[in-house]
Amino acid sequence: EQALKVSNENASQLQTKLASAEEEQQLLLLKTTQLQEELEATSQKASKLEPTEQALKVSNENASQLQTKLASAEEEQQLLLLKTTQLQEELEATVKQVSKLESTEQALKASNKQALLLQQKITSANEEAQLAVLQIAQLQEELECTFSECEAIKVREKETSARLSTLLETDKQFKALQTEHVFLTEQLSQLQKALEKAELDKELLAKAHNELQQAQLERAGAGTMSSEKLQNTELELELASLQISQLQEELEHYYLALQESERSHQKGFMHTTMSSNKIQTKVFNKAAASELSITGKYEEGDYQDIHLTLHNVFLPNDKQLESVKAKLINVAGHIGIEFRAQENEGLFREFEDSSDEYGAYLRYFLTVPENLQVQQQQTIERLDASERLLVMCSINIIAEQLQNPNISTNTEVTPEHWRNWRKAAISLSNHVDTLPNWLSFDSVSLREEYVTDGYEHLWLIFKGVLLGNIWRNTLELKLTANVVGAASNGEFSDALNIEFRELEDGSAPLVTWPPEGADDYGPKLTLAINNLEQLNDLATQDSQLIKHLVNNLPSILEKLNIEERKLAHSKEAWASAAVKMLTPSAEPQQPKIEADIAAAQISEEHEISDVTLVCEEVVSAGSYQHIVFTQQGNNTKIKLRAENVNPDTFDAEVYVELRDGTNDVVYNESEFFGEDDYGPYVKIPAETLEQLKRAQNTTDLVWVRTVYQSASDSIDNAEEIDDLVKLLWKNVLSRKSEK
């Protein structure tokens, strides 16, 4: 770094000299021009004078002197040009040296990171316990028995599902359904018993595993068992847990089918079609594929992948695909899934920045490599509901299908690779269940615009709506505006509402239906976008849906397809009115949170006691930095982020960002609340916290001020953070406190 600094200073000096030389050259050129003009003027003057020898002699002498000066000026100009060329060559050599130093520094950082990863792997391998061979063999036999029972149960479930689907095809099979009802009852009982047996086996396996670990601690060194077998056992325990979880979900599915069958008996008719507003919960677990095959693999450096093909894929949005090709990828320990564009199958939309020499791709990581964070962010922001459904459903299908011992493959896969890819699939599948409640939709279009005196509405139709793991084929609502033209806030209306009504086929738009209100056209639910108190009386999924719709109204209106219609008030006018209503006009009240005033007390000197923060994630990408902390007993993720970092002055835009995956995130009633594709968040500038820190007799934002004040010490004490990153954050935070 010192050499680089010296080199930069030399380059700066050379550039200064070069500029000075160029200025001198310009002056010489100007002087030469002036001399030439003087020579011409003298010649003209001499021609006008009387032709005397003395005047001619004087004129010749002057001309001779001017020519001498001109020759001298030309020589000086040549010297300056030569000097300029030399300075340029020195500058180019210095730039090349700087470039070599930068590449050497980057290579050194990469080498240090790789060495650290290798050291961690070696340490992890040395820490793995060895268990007794006989105990592991017994455990494996019990696991194999459990697997065989689960497979048999799954076969019976598939047979039952096939029979149930056949019975639901037409009204003519009503009598067959009555017979099947008895069979379903028996099958449900069998599934319940099998589930209880599987859960008991799981408890026994876990107990045996704990006993083995205890025995290993008591008899350190007794018995020899390779770490590979221990990993296989732990993987099999994870697979057993996943199977039992899936079995519970399938049992719930058949229980709901049985209830539907009983309702059909009571009504005396067969409901053969589902409404267009079909609502499915836990939708990612309801995808299926007949089989999985492995078609190839690739490995180079810190990158490896395995090529998979899912056959006869059924997705919960009623889309059926003959095959889906995907890849599980591992980039320096970061697990992900990748899809490629397929002929005749519009799996996903294609973008230029997500294409390479092999074509368009859709890639999603569990944890993102540093060099791909920007691309991952773009991918997440662009995913529509069907694309998100494809990614998450495929992850669950792969995790389930990789448990099948009879997978067809045309490439050699070692036992170690089998184990690693199965663990990777399980990690991705577990990640799906922890995702926040994103709101995504495939499209939103305008069905109707209605305008009358003082009232307007836009009738919106959404296709393919996904909220968390809840899927809807369609969703309809009206965005209404009252007191049009008489608003007090400068917009065309200050009374916007969203209104829900039954669909044309009679299906309910929400789970909590019908509402208490109704008019001549039937039941309806109307909510002011700035007053959602009625949501307390609705089901959780309804209230979450409405909150997401309201918070995202401006972006929804931006994406609204109006097919070149000319609206009475533009989409931008509706969005502006919504923003004005959703923006608090008065000072927001201090949110009441359990961990705020109660846990953080202000002393007489108005200082806040420290809190203990645990570092969970570190991202260092040049001008962008962030560190994620957690606090014991608190679900809130605390992200300290710095944007546009200046490496020379350490000026940066610093924020404290809070998330917990829900709309009830701490300080959600403040002006700092917002929502993006990752869910609701609160984002507070460091300048605000510094001002409150210097203020007296204030209890505003007490808890987050405590967190911010403790961040510096938490960074210093975190072993996961590199020393250079610690030093950078120390300078950035110090710079903020000085302003």
Side-chain angles (χ1 to χ4, degrees):
E1 290 179 353
Q2 184 65 28
L4 179 60
K5 184 177 180 180
V6 171
S7 178
N8 289 334
E9 291 175 353
N10 290 338
S12 177
Q13 292 174 358
L14 290 174
Q15 288 176 343
T16 303
K17 291 180 180 179
L18 178 59
S20 176
E22 290 176 350
E23 290 177 358
E24 291 177 2
Q25 181 181 356
Q26 293 295 331
L27 290 173
L28 285 173
L29 290 174
L30 180 59
K31 186 175 182 181
T32 301
T33 302
Q34 291 174 349
L35 289 173
Q36 288 176 341
E37 291 176 354
E38 290 177 4
L39 177 59
E40 292 174 358
T42 302
S43 298
Q44 292 175 1
K45 185 176 182 181
S47 64
K48 293 179 181 180
L49 295 175
E50 295 180 357
T52 61
E53 292 181 358
Q54 186 63 30
L56 180 60
K57 183 178 179 180
V58 172
S59 176
N60 289 337
E61 287 177 354
N62 290 337
S64 177
Q65 290 176 359
L66 291 173
Q67 288 177 348
T68 302
K69 291 180 180 179
L70 178 60
S72 176
E74 290 177 347
E75 290 177 358
E76 291 180 2
Q77 182 180 3
Q78 292 296 328
L79 289 174
L80 287 174
L81 289 174
L82 180 60
K83 188 175 181 180
T84 301
T85 304
Q86 292 175 346
L87 289 174
Q88 287 178 336
E89 292 175 353
E90 292 178 5
L91 179 60
E92 291 175 356
T94 304
V95 171
K96 289 181 180 179
Q97 185 179 4
V98 171
S99 178
K100 290 181 180 179
L101 289 173
E102 290 178 348
S103 61
T104 303
E105 183 181 6
Q106 292 176 355
L108 179 61
K109 287 184 178 180
S111 176
N112 291 339
K113 185 179 292 185
Q114 187 67 21
L116 180 60
L117 290 174
L118 291 173
Q119 183 63 37
Q120 291 175 348
K121 291 181 180 179
I122 293 172
T123 303
S124 177
N126 292 335
E127 292 176 352
E128 290 180 349
Q130 295 183 345
L131 300 179
V133 176
L134 178 61
Q135 291 170 323
I136 291 297
Q138 293 173 348
L139 185 59
Q140 287 176 335
E141 290 176 0
E142 293 174 354
L143 284 171
E144 290 174 359
C145 180
T146 302
F147 288 156
S148 61
E149 291 177 355
C150 288
E151 289 297 326
I153 292 171
K154 289 173 67 176
V155 170
R156 291 198 299 270
E157 291 171 352
K158 289 181 179 179
E159 293 175 353
T160 304
S161 178
R163 284 194 291 271
L164 181 61
S165 298
T166 302
L167 291 173
L168 294 174
E169 288 179 357
T170 61
D171 291 339
K172 296 179 181 179
Q173 297 171 324
F174 176 69
K175 293 183 179 180
L177 178 63
Q178 291 177 322
T179 305
E180 190 67 37
H181 173 73
V182 178
F183 176 78
L184 275 173
T185 305
E186 296 175 355
Q187 186 71 14
L188 184 62
S189 176
Q190 293 175 2
L191 288 172
Q192 184 65 41
K193 292 179 181 178
L195 177 61
E196 293 173 355
K197 177 68 167 57
E199 289 178 340
L200 180 61
D201 289 341
K202 178 186 174 183
E203 293 176 359
L204 293 174
L205 291 174
K207 183 178 180 181
H209 186 256
N210 292 334
E211 291 175 353
L212 292 178
Q213 289 180 332
Q214 185 64 30
Q216 193 274 336
L217 294 174
E218 294 175 355
R219 300 176 299 154
T224 59
M225 180 62 194
S226 68
S227 61
E228 181 179 350
K229 291 185 178 180
L230 177 60
Q231 290 179 353
N232 284 334
T233 303
E234 292 176 347
L235 176 60
E236 289 169 350
L237 281 172
E238 291 179 358
L239 293 175
S241 299
L242 183 60
Q243 279 188 327
I244 291 173
S245 177
Q246 292 172 343
L247 186 60
Q248 288 174 328
E249 292 169 357
E250 292 172 357
L251 180 62
E252 178 185 354
H253 171 72
Y254 285 110
Y255 178 72
L256 294 175
L258 180 61
Q259 287 184 325
E260 180 67 22
S261 171
E262 291 174 347
R263 285 195 294 268
S264 297
H265 280 296
Q266 295 171 357
K267 294 180 180 179
F269 69 96
M270 179 64 189
H271 186 64
T272 59
T273 60
M274 301 189 71
S275 75
S276 60
N277 195 38
K278 178 174 63 176
I279 303 175
Q280 302 185 61
T281 59
K282 296 184 178 180
V283 68
F284 300 142
N285 297 327
K286 295 182 179 179
S290 61
E291 62 176 319
L292 175 146
S293 60
I294 297 177
T295 57
K297 64 178 182 178
Y298 180 75
E299 185 171 354
E300 181 178 0
D302 61 355
Y303 174 87
Q304 56 180 326
D305 63 33
I306 186 168
H307 303 188
L308 312 171
T309 300
L310 300 173
H311 301 274
N312 301 320
V313 180
F314 172 79
L315 297 177
N317 59 352
D318 297 333
K319 189 172 185 178
Q320 299 185 33
L321 303 169
E322 184 177 347
S323 65
V324 172
K325 296 179 180 179
K327 289 192 293 187
L328 288 182
I329 58 178
N330 185 332
V331 182
H334 298 275
I335 306 300
I337 186 171
E338 179 180 296
F339 301 87
R340 288 282 174 175
Q342 298 179 201
E343 294 183 2
N344 303 323
E345 295 289 356
L347 291 181
F348 54 87
R349 295 166 298 159
E350 301 180 10
F351 299 93
E352 291 184 2
D353 57 2
S354 297
S355 301
D356 55 21
E357 63 270 24
Y358 303 107
Y361 59 82
L362 173 61
R363 184 185 296 140
Y364 182 87
F365 280 99
L366 172 60
T367 58
V368 192
E370 183 175 336
N371 63 321
L372 297 177
Q373 288 179 355
V374 175
Q375 187 182 69
Q376 173 88 346
Q377 177 69 19
Q378 290 177 341
T379 299
I380 292 175
E381 291 175 354
R382 287 194 302 226
L383 285 178
D384 62 22
S386 293
E387 290 166 344
R388 198 181 301 277
L389 195 70
L390 169 70
V391 173
M392 305 309 167
C393 287
S394 297
I395 287 174
N396 280 349
I397 294 175
I398 291 172
E400 177 184 0
Q401 290 287 341
L402 280 180
Q403 301 171 38
N404 187 351
N406 301 318
I407 297 177
S408 63
T409 176
N410 56 12
T411 187
E412 182 180 356
V413 183
T414 65
E416 181 182 2
H417 284 157
W418 275 118
R419 181 176 65 253
N420 291 339
W421 288 120
R422 281 172 173 160
K423 290 181 68 175
I426 290 174
S427 298
L428 282 169
S429 180
N430 292 337
H431 167 72
V432 171
D433 295 331
T434 65
L435 292 174
N437 289 328
W438 284 316
L439 174 64
S440 305
F441 53 86
D442 291 343
S443 66
V444 55
S445 58
L446 180 64
R447 176 174 177 176
E448 174 188 87
E449 179 195 22
Y450 181 79
V451 179
T452 188
D453 187 20
Y455 171 85
E456 295 180 15
H457 76 231
L458 301 178
W459 190 339
L460 309 182
I461 300 180
F462 295 82
K463 295 295 184 183
V465 180
L466 185 61
L467 175 61
N469 63 359
I470 302 174
W471 172 268
R472 299 166 183 261
N473 284 348
T474 62
L475 175 67
E476 296 187 18
L477 62 89
K478 292 179 182 178
L479 179 60
T480 68
N482 294 304
V483 295
V484 174
S488 59
N489 61 359
E491 302 294 336
F492 80 95
S493 173
D494 59 359
L496 300 187
N497 305 295
I498 56 174
E499 177 184 300
F500 295 92
R501 290 185 180 271
E502 291 181 351
L503 303 186
E504 291 182 350
D505 61 0
S507 59
L510 301 171
V511 174
T512 313
W513 198 263
E516 295 181 359
D519 58 15
D520 295 340
Y521 300 98
K524 72 171 183 177
L525 175 65
T526 303
L527 298 166
I529 67 171
N530 60 346
N531 184 5
L532 302 178
E533 294 182 358
Q534 289 180 257
L535 296 184
N536 297 330
D537 299 329
L538 303 182
T540 301
Q541 63 172 268
D542 289 340
S543 61
Q544 289 181 348
L545 172 66
I546 294 172
K547 286 180 180 179
H548 278 77
L549 290 170
V550 169
N551 291 332
N552 288 281
L553 262 181
S555 62
I556 290 173
L557 289 167
E558 181 181 354
K559 299 173 184 177
L560 175 62
N561 179 18
I562 60 176
E563 297 180 347
E564 299 183 354
R565 296 188 192 179
K566 186 175 182 180
L567 303 179
H569 289 95
S570 66
K571 297 190 299 181
E572 292 75 16
W574 282 89
S576 177
V579 170
K580 185 64 70 70
M581 285 188 64
L582 295 173
T583 302
S585 57
E587 286 293 326
Q589 296 181 354
Q590 172 69 10
K592 296 179 180 179
I593 58 172
E594 296 179 359
D596 201 332
I597 303 299
Q601 297 295 328
I602 303 178
S603 67
E604 294 180 358
E605 293 78 19
H606 308 288
E607 295 180 354
I608 306 174
S609 59
D610 291 340
V611 296
T612 302
L613 302 177
V614 178
C615 179
E616 189 172 275
E617 178 183 271
V618 181
V619 171
S620 178
S623 62
Y624 175 82
Q625 307 278 331
H626 86 231
I627 302 176
V628 177
F629 295 105
T630 56
Q631 186 181 9
Q632 186 175 5
N634 191 340
N635 294 329
T636 303
K637 301 286 185 182
I638 306 161
K639 179 184 288 187
L640 186 64
R641 59 188 296 166
E643 303 172 3
N644 301 320
V645 180
N646 187 321
D648 297 326
T649 64
F650 296 106
D651 283 324
E653 300 173 22
V654 180
Y655 303 91
V656 177
E657 184 178 289
L658 310 172
R659 296 177 185 266
D660 65 2
T662 71
N663 284 317
D664 296 327
V665 61
V666 58
Y667 304 116
N668 64 341
E669 297 179 1
S670 71
E671 61 184 304
F672 308 109
F673 177 77
E675 188 166 2
D676 57 17
D677 288 330
Y678 293 101
Y681 67 88
V682 169
K683 186 176 179 181
I684 305 174
E687 288 81 1
T688 300
L689 300 175
E690 291 289 350
Q691 291 174 2
L692 292 174
K693 177 182 175 182
R694 291 188 287 267
Q696 295 183 353
N697 300 325
T698 178
T699 57
D700 291 343
L701 306 176
V702 174
W703 176 75
V704 73
R705 287 162 53 199
T706 308
V707 169
Y708 178 71
Q709 196 164 310
S710 303
S712 182
D713 291 338
S714 300
I715 293 173
D716 288 338
N717 298 330
E719 298 179 356
E720 302 88 348
I721 305 177
D722 185 77
D723 289 339
L724 290 176
V725 177
K726 288 182 178 180
L727 182 60
L728 173 62
W729 273 106
K730 181 178 180 180
N731 289 324
V732 169
L733 294 178
S734 176
R735 183 73 172 172
K736 282 295 174 188
S737 63
E738 292 172 357
K739 291 187 176 182

